[in-house]
Amino acid sequence: VDRRHLFVTGGGVGYPAALEAALKLKEMALVHAEGAEAWEMTSGAATMLGPEAVVIALAPDGPARPAIAELLAHAADWGARVLEVGPSRLVDGSDLLPIPGGPLEDHAPLVAVPPVALLAFALARRKGLNPDRPDWIERYHSQGLTHILGADRETA
């Protein structure tokens, strides 16, 4: 609740899954959240990692897992809170949202995004927000966009 920056990272197909998970955090909990590819995060986004940041790693089994482990070790050393979405912890002291072992990072959108969406929902509720009726929806509709909570379904 009190962190300024949330970064969601993943590798391979976990990267677009990280973008989607970050979007869920923005839309539901109204926080600054950014999705980043694991290898790229070690440069640009890493400059913002410290005590005001949370790194959420989508880390199902797969080839990106060692790079994610390295990134998380650095993030933890720099003071960021580390939250892993995977079959087991990669870094001592991290928080873990467990997912079954076996599904590879190719399935990250299916297995790793839903736990982050639930986290976004819980964070929103903790902040006193209603993720089912976000404050931004009127701005959204004022642009003529209705495919999210369409005008004809607003009261549903």
Side-chain angles (χ1 to χ4, degrees):
V1 170
D2 60 345
R3 303 295 172 108
R4 282 186 68 189
H5 310 289
L6 283 78
F7 295 94
V8 185
T9 188
V13 178
Y15 168 53
L19 295 174
E20 181 64 23
L23 181 61
K24 297 300 175 215
L25 288 158
K26 290 177 200 177
E27 290 175 341
M28 283 194 252
L30 303 179
V31 295
H32 169 248
E34 183 177 323
E37 202 278 331
W39 291 278
E40 291 177 4
M41 190 165 167
T42 58
S43 58
T47 62
M48 309 235 1
L49 296 183
E52 294 186 337
V54 175
V55 177
I56 301 169
L58 307 185
D61 291 328
R65 210 163 142 80
I68 292 170
E70 186 176 335
L71 168 64
L72 293 181
H74 289 301
D77 286 346
W78 297 329
R81 184 168 184 179
V82 173
L83 174 67
E84 300 182 45
V85 181
S88 61
R89 281 184 178 80
L90 292 167
V91 175
D92 290 336
S94 69
D95 295 305
L96 179 67
L97 290 175
I99 59 174
L104 299 178
E105 63 194 40
D106 287 349
H107 301 108
L110 299 172
V111 299
V113 174
V116 179
L118 290 171
L119 174 68
F121 183 87
L123 180 58
R125 299 302 288 192
R126 181 135 185 232
K127 292 175 67 177
L129 302 171
N130 180 355
D132 292 324
R133 295 286 304 154
D135 292 342
W136 52 262
I137 199 67
E138 294 309 319
R139 280 183 278 156
Y140 187 80
H141 289 160
S142 73
Q143 300 174 69
L145 303 170
T146 58
H147 68 278
I148 296 177
L149 297 176
D152 57 327
R153 296 180 291 143
E154 282 185 29
T155 57

